[in-house]
Amino acid sequence: MLSVVVLVMVVVAGCSSGSDDPEPEKTPPKEESTQVDKPAETVDPNKPVDGGTLVISTFTDIVSVNPLFIQDTASADAATFIFANLYDLDRQGNVTAEPWSLASEKPIISEDGKSYTIKLKSTAKWSDGQPVTADDVVFTINAIRDPKVASPGISQFDKVDKVEKVDDSTVLVTLKQVYAPFQYALASAVVPAHVLKDVKPEELLTNPFGTDPAKTVTNGPWKWTEWKQSQSMNFDADSNYWGQKPHIQKIVFKQYADQNTEVQALLKGDVDLTQAIPVTQVEAVKNKGDINVILAPGPVYEYLGFNFKEDNFKNKFVPFASQKTRQAIAYALNRQGMVDNILKGTGKLMNAPFLPGSWADPGDAVVNYGYEPEKAKQLLAEDGWLPGDDGILVKDGKRFAFELQYNAGNSRREQVAAVIQQNLKDVGIEVTPKAIDFSAWVEQNLTPGKYEAILLSWSLNNPDPDGESTFSSKYFPPNGQNQGWYKNEKLDQLWVDGYSTVDQNARKQVYAEVGKEISADLPYVFMYQYGLPEGIGPKVKFAEEDKPEPTLPYGYFYRIINWWVDSK
Amino acid sequence: MTEYLIRRLVQSAVVMFLITVLTFGLIHSAPGGPTKVFLSPGLSQQAAKVQAEHLGLDRPIPEQYLKWVGGLLRGDLGYTFKNHLPVGDILWPTVGHTMVLMGAAWLLSLLIAIPWGVYNSTKEYGWSDQTASFISYIGFAMPTFWFGILLQELFALKLDWLPLSDMWSLDKEGQIGDLLLHLVLPVSVLTLGFLAGYVKYARTSMLEVLQQDYIRTARAKGIHEVRVVYRHGLRNALIPIITIIGLDLPILVGGATLTENVFNWPGMGRLFVEMALAREYSVLMAITLVTAFMVILGNLIADLLYALVDPRVQLGRKGGSTA
């Protein structure tokens, strides 16, 4: 089901660097002579070498690498190098204990599904030499739960009843109720209790731990050695790291102004890895020949979100209040065309809020909407919409017109909004696209739930399929994420059923049911899963089992501890 | 002269104060805020509220302003909201980086533009003048970032003669030779932009002066043409040019955001855009202050230069200033 398109470049054994001297690859006699000239290059290229520098590009600076406060991608990326997680994810997104995880085995879940026992490795150490113990885990979870700390992760832990230290390497977490997604909350980093325990909860936010490399005690394979704000960060392999040492000696996180300059730097060879090649540049990068371009979409999906609150509309008339009308809109949109033309084929259509190929993906159980404008017109007519004088549909004397908001400067959404406008005009619906500055949009429209329709996406940084906080009527604005004021009692209950058992097969059935209902009722028109292609330069090497996994959160660095660079 | 300087300084202080009040009010009334730029399914509104409280962002704007001014008077530019870093640590290096880039481009363009413009004014519509016009058209019409990308494409990617971007290579930080190599492309782009205007100003200003009666008198007295042009003409023609230069001085720190972006130059223009998007009020205020200071300084320097090139300009005497 999951069709991951990975274009791995062909590594020619015993050949000199392709970019400096591409000739030998084409003409074998010359290749031999090159080998004679450079006997040192006949070493097995599949054998990892230690040392070297890996330069990774980014276009935003970090905020803080303090695991208690991370909520932006750049900080989370940086943290993956310097903090070990309690648990990590396997390629399918299951919680697991890897050799570099702090836990020694998977969490042990009690019969009643409410208690989680965490067993720690006894070998793990902080960069200042102190052991990583149960105290650190207890301190971290309690800090996140404390409202005075203002950790953005607080909602992930709001089902926790108590956290207890059993012994130095065992922690017992008890939940108030069965809540299956909780295991993913444990696949995260911990902070050192011995460094932060005397800091007042409300002062943790401004504490230099997380922003000052010298004061940030870490426990991962690399340590943070330098930060030049808005320019670069350096991470050096920690010689005192407790586990199997990483091959790469130094990681440089280099900031560029935008994705286009990042790609230029990748082409020049200044950068070895970039996570975001704009789709319009993919061909140019591929043409360079020696750059590995990974096209699989990431854990993000885009949607056309409807608003169901009458106060947001003129005359309190919600034009898409009826299910049939929403289905008509879904049929009227040429989503495959958008994926082919705007995303240049780097997206995958979705009809429910589950990533294609994930364990909870309901597959064929959902309603699939093809591009069928005639069917759309027919549904609209059945629903009581009649053509008006200007060609726009009218019902009860009200025109079918609405405003579609998106964030200014996002060229993908700008193009998609234009296609939506055209597609819907073809069936008699007037859409007015409106671009708004992101920060203002969040404050004035998204958080209070004030808009008619939006084009936005959700990033699924937690592989759990639970979507209660986005779709349940328990989570209306301003304190919840159900910004479209969508209410469907059947779904409200299904989401609860979905997380109230830790039996994965039982959950699968619930989410198949969710998929069926949500794809028919359409709080959103689910558009596509997407993600900017990742580009990896010729210096970077990894074995097949350690290749990046873009569908996982932070998967572009998946198993980077086993990667190496060919430092000539 | 001293009295004049004191008066100018007092005026400047008042202007600076008004600028800070205005800017502070404007950026705080813009929608959004440092704790509101993130939106993710995990972010609790509760946490955002508590964070705003910790950071003092929930206080009334006049109170926040007074707190900021209080800090400023003690030499404290404040801290970033999102990660509590001292603003000065972030700002000052970028000011230096921008001055290196802009200063080089600006000096180079002046050194080329003034002699060339003067020469062209003596050979109106000659081939040199036509060339300058052509270059000016290009300089005005071509977006700098686009020209920058063209140069990168050719000299950094195709020919591989010059570095693509950045101020230094990864392992050569602080080396002058490496810096010069990195300066070539961005300075070329910026110089073309500056040159376009300055050549035209110099030429026009000279042409105007050369038609004056005193030039005719000088020529009639039999003074050598070179002396007429450079001694009698240029001195007078320089006054409007100095005005332009004075007004342009703030760009030395304001930077060229687009050029800095294309060449990944770690300067203040880039910083400003980044911080505006993140609603980092204290950094934005500091950048505004530095820029305002440069505007005032530029005007002052221009005034002082008038007196230097033209002894008739007497500063401080009412009606004595030609500006």
Side-chain angles (χ1 to χ4, degrees):
Chain A
M1 180 73 208
L2 177 72
S3 74
V4 186
V5 189
V6 184
L7 300 180
V8 185
M9 81 169 228
V10 183
V11 184
V12 182
C15 163
S16 66
S17 156
S19 69
D20 293 333
D21 191 4
E23 282 295 291
E25 285 184 22
K26 292 176 199 152
T27 48
K30 243 185 147 181
E31 185 179 7
E32 278 161 29
S33 68
T34 316
Q35 277 185 350
V36 175
D37 291 346
K38 299 173 187 169
E41 301 218 359
T42 51
V43 276
D44 181 4
N46 295 320
K47 192 168 172 287
V49 285
D50 289 350
T53 302
L54 174 74
V55 184
I56 298 171
S57 73
T58 170
F59 61 95
T60 42
D61 203 0
I62 62 148
V63 175
S64 164
V65 295
N66 184 339
L68 296 177
F69 297 108
I70 289 178
Q71 57 186 350
D72 62 296
T73 313
S75 306
D77 287 349
T80 56
F81 308 128
I82 52 179
F83 288 104
N85 289 323
L86 263 182
Y87 298 98
D88 286 280
L89 300 179
D90 68 13
R91 217 171 265 284
Q92 286 71 41
N94 298 303
V95 170
T96 183
E98 297 279 9
W100 46 88
S101 310
L102 295 173
S104 56
E105 53 182 284
K106 285 185 189 183
I108 304 155
I109 305 174
S110 64
E111 252 337 87
D112 67 358
K114 287 191 196 171
S115 309
Y116 291 69
T117 305
I118 304 165
K119 290 264 184 201
L120 295 176
K121 291 188 181 106
S122 56
T123 47
K125 276 188 309 188
W126 292 100
S127 52
D128 62 1
Q130 297 287 320
V132 179
T133 69
D135 291 323
D136 298 313
V137 179
V138 173
F139 175 81
T140 303
I141 296 179
N142 283 334
I144 294 174
R145 293 169 66 208
D146 184 349
K148 280 187 284 186
V149 172
S151 165
I154 189 167
S155 55
Q156 282 194 289
F157 289 88
D158 59 4
K159 308 280 195 302
V160 171
D161 181 31
K162 54 184 194 285
V163 187
E164 296 155 287
K165 171 181 173 179
V166 178
D167 59 50
D168 268 352
S169 58
T170 314
V171 177
L172 179 67
V173 182
T174 315
L175 303 186
K176 294 173 207 158
Q177 64 185 78
V178 178
Y179 186 64
F182 180 71
Q183 57 171 329
Y184 288 103
L186 296 175
S188 58
V190 296
V191 294
H194 67 278
V195 176
L196 296 173
K197 67 176 187 300
D198 296 325
V199 180
K200 280 194 221 140
E202 55 271 29
E203 282 169 10
L204 281 167
L205 182 63
T206 49
N207 190 278
F209 179 87
T211 53
D212 181 348
K215 289 180 178 148
T216 308
V217 175
T218 58
N219 58 7
W222 291 271
K223 62 183 178 196
W224 187 17
T225 46
E226 197 186 4
W227 181 20
K228 279 192 256 160
Q229 279 115 30
S230 301
Q231 290 183 55
S232 63
M233 300 176 85
N234 289 352
F235 306 97
D236 288 302
D238 186 351
S239 50
N240 294 318
Y241 176 58
W242 50 272
Q244 171 86 47
K245 307 267 188 298
H247 299 300
I248 297 170
Q249 174 59 30
K250 186 184 190 107
I251 294 177
V252 179
F253 218 55
K254 208 156 165 306
Q255 193 180 339
Y256 286 85
D258 53 48
Q259 291 159 346
N260 291 321
T261 46
E262 279 183 74
V263 169
Q264 297 283 82
L266 179 70
L267 291 174
K268 172 85 173 169
D270 289 351
V271 158
D272 302 313
L273 189 156
T274 184
Q275 305 147 22
I277 303 174
V279 286
T280 48
Q281 299 227 42
V282 167
E283 277 309 307
V285 176
K286 277 192 196 160
N287 287 342
K288 179 92 191 317
D290 57 357
I291 293 168
N292 181 1
V293 181
I294 299 173
L295 292 173
V300 194
Y301 72 86
E302 199 134 68
Y303 62 90
L304 165 63
F306 301 114
N307 202 308
F308 294 91
K309 195 180 164 101
E310 293 174 348
D311 295 348
N312 290 320
F313 294 85
K314 262 184 279 169
N315 313 320
K316 306 212 179 242
F317 173 68
V318 184
F320 24 69
S322 115
Q323 190 186 85
K324 219 171 219 177
T325 296
R326 296 195 295 277
Q327 291 178 342
I329 291 177
Y331 279 118
L333 296 181
N334 185 0
R335 296 182 299 155
Q336 191 58 50
M338 297 176 201
V339 168
D340 292 343
N341 299 314
I342 300 171
L343 301 181
K344 310 282 178 209
T346 60
K348 254 181 112 51
L349 293 189
M350 283 173 69
N351 295 293
F354 307 109
L355 291 182
S358 65
W359 64 261
D361 177 13
D364 296 337
V366 302
V367 187
N368 184 22
Y369 296 90
Y371 175 43
E372 296 172 46
E374 288 312 314
K375 188 160 182 179
K377 283 183 195 163
Q378 183 199 330
L379 285 169
L380 288 165
E382 284 171 20
D383 212 26
W385 292 98
L386 301 166
D389 302 338
D390 56 356
I392 301 300
L393 295 170
V394 177
K395 189 185 196 174
D396 306 331
K398 284 150 188 148
R399 292 174 81 239
F400 201 154
F402 65 92
E403 181 185 87
L404 177 65
Q405 301 180 344
Y406 62 95
N407 55 314
N410 185 317
S411 64
R412 181 190 63 253
R413 289 200 185 122
E414 191 180 292
Q415 296 176 60
V416 169
V419 175
I420 292 176
Q421 182 183 29
Q422 186 57 47
N423 284 166
L424 292 187
K425 194 179 162 208
D426 293 345
V427 297
I429 302 171
E430 184 182 84
V431 180
T432 313
K434 187 179 181 195
I436 309 176
D437 165 67
F438 189 72
S439 176
W441 191 35
V442 171
E443 179 172 349
Q444 297 178 331
N445 306 105
L446 300 179
T447 308
K450 280 188 194 159
Y451 55 82
E452 296 181 346
I454 49 172
L455 186 59
L456 186 61
S457 44
W458 284 122
S459 158
L460 303 176
N461 280 343
N462 181 335
D464 197 89
D466 177 40
E468 189 189 36
S469 65
T470 346
F471 297 106
S472 165
S473 59
K474 277 192 245 170
Y475 289 87
F476 280 159
N479 292 317
Q481 304 279 346
N482 182 359
Q483 290 137 347
W485 307 86
Y486 172 68
K487 187 176 168 80
N488 175 328
E489 278 166 13
K490 184 178 175 193
L491 278 175
D492 282 1
Q493 184 54 45
L494 282 173
W495 290 119
V496 176
D497 296 347
Y499 62 67
S500 298
T501 171
V502 289
D503 174 1
Q504 192 149 312
N505 281 325
R507 295 189 75 199
K508 235 175 136 161
Q509 282 169 20
V510 176
Y511 292 116
E513 197 58 34
V514 169
K516 215 158 105 190
E517 176 65 22
I518 206 166
S519 60
D521 201 39
L522 296 176
Y524 302 158
V525 175
F526 298 94
M527 308 283 285
Y528 39 77
Q529 177 193 9
Y530 70 99
L532 289 178
E534 175 179 5
I536 302 180
K539 260 169 68 183
V540 186
K541 315 276 174 190
F542 40 78
E544 179 64 14
E545 69 262 28
D546 296 320
K547 70 180 183 200
E549 185 57 57
T551 49
L552 287 178
Y554 317 112
Y556 28 76
F557 305 137
Y558 193 63
R559 293 170 169 261
I560 194 171
I561 192 169
N562 289 338
W563 297 9
W564 70 96
V565 287
D566 204 346
S567 39
K568 282 190 247 297
Chain B
M1 181 76 182
T2 324
E3 191 204 332
Y4 171 80
L5 274 180
I6 291 172
R7 208 172 68 224
R8 284 295 298 256
L9 284 176
V10 173
Q11 278 175 359
S12 306
V14 174
V15 172
M16 292 279 274
F17 171 73
L18 290 176
I19 289 174
T20 60
V21 173
L22 197 69
T23 324
F24 201 89
L26 275 177
I27 50 184
H28 278 78
S29 55
T35 55
K36 290 168 186 152
V37 283
F38 299 120
L39 180 79
S40 64
L43 174 64
S44 118
Q45 294 298 321
Q46 213 66 36
K49 216 184 268 171
V50 179
Q51 287 193 1
E53 248 167 67
H54 288 352
L55 300 170
L57 286 165
D58 58 336
R59 315 300 305 161
I61 290 172
E63 190 184 322
Q64 290 188 44
Y65 177 74
L66 287 179
K67 196 173 158 235
W68 178 78
V69 169
L72 187 69
L73 293 176
R74 289 190 307 273
D76 178 6
L77 285 171
Y79 294 85
T80 58
F81 289 107
K82 61 174 185 180
N83 45 21
H84 206 72
L85 296 164
V87 170
D89 289 6
I90 301 176
L91 179 67
W92 297 125
T94 66
V95 173
H97 299 157
T98 294
M99 283 178 104
V100 168
L101 175 65
M102 300 303 279
W106 195 60
L107 275 181
L108 187 66
S109 53
L110 282 179
L111 288 178
I112 299 173
I114 294 180
W116 198 9
V118 170
Y119 175 79
N120 289 346
S121 71
T122 62
K123 304 261 159 68
E124 229 182 321
Y125 304 114
W127 65 268
S128 162
D129 196 22
Q130 300 282 16
T131 312
S133 286
F134 182 67
I135 290 180
S136 290
Y137 290 137
I138 295 179
F140 278 128
M142 188 158 51
T144 50
F145 71 93
W146 188 67
F147 184 45
I149 292 171
L150 283 187
L151 290 185
Q152 283 180 322
E153 204 59 53
L154 181 63
F155 292 104
L157 293 175
K158 285 241 159 61
L159 298 172
D160 204 12
W161 289 350
L162 288 164
L164 176 79
S165 53
D166 303 326
M167 205 165 157
W168 274 295
S169 306
L170 215 50
D171 47 350
K172 291 186 182 153
E173 198 170 325
Q175 295 180 17
I176 294 294
D178 193 51
L179 174 65
L180 290 177
L181 277 180
H182 282 84
L183 272 170
V184 176
L185 292 183
V187 165
S188 308
V189 169
L190 289 167
T191 303
L192 182 77
F194 288 141
L195 205 57
Y198 289 156
V199 173
K200 286 271 164 201
Y201 290 133
R203 174 182 176 274
T204 315
S205 184
M206 269 309 277
L207 277 175
E208 226 166 81
V209 168
L210 290 180
Q211 284 157 13
Q212 299 293 321
D213 290 343
Y214 57 83
I215 297 290
R216 197 172 333 129
T217 314
R219 284 193 181 129
K221 282 200 293 186
I223 298 171
H224 192 272
E225 183 64 17
V226 173
R227 200 172 151 85
V228 171
V229 171
Y230 289 93
R231 171 123 191 135
H232 297 260
L234 184 58
R235 267 196 117 145
N236 288 294
L238 273 178
I239 290 192
I241 298 174
I242 288 171
T243 310
I244 303 283
I245 294 172
L247 289 176
D248 274 357
L249 199 63
I251 55 175
L252 282 191
V253 291
T257 307
L258 289 174
T259 310
E260 285 183 1
N261 277 354
V262 168
F263 291 99
N264 206 38
W265 197 267
M268 205 168 89
R270 249 186 81 186
L271 184 75
F272 186 79
V273 174
E274 196 187 331
M275 293 295 148
L277 291 176
R279 298 290 191 275
E280 276 295 354
Y281 300 139
S282 39
V283 183
L284 295 177
M285 285 306 295
I287 293 178
T288 309
L289 267 187
V290 173
T291 314
F293 176 77
M294 289 303 283
V295 171
I296 289 165
L297 188 72
N299 284 335
L300 188 64
I301 290 179
D303 279 358
L304 296 176
L305 280 176
Y306 293 150
L308 202 71
V309 295
D310 186 350
R312 288 170 307 175
V313 178
Q314 290 184 328
L315 298 175
R317 198 174 282 175
K318 286 226 165 73
S321 169
T322 29

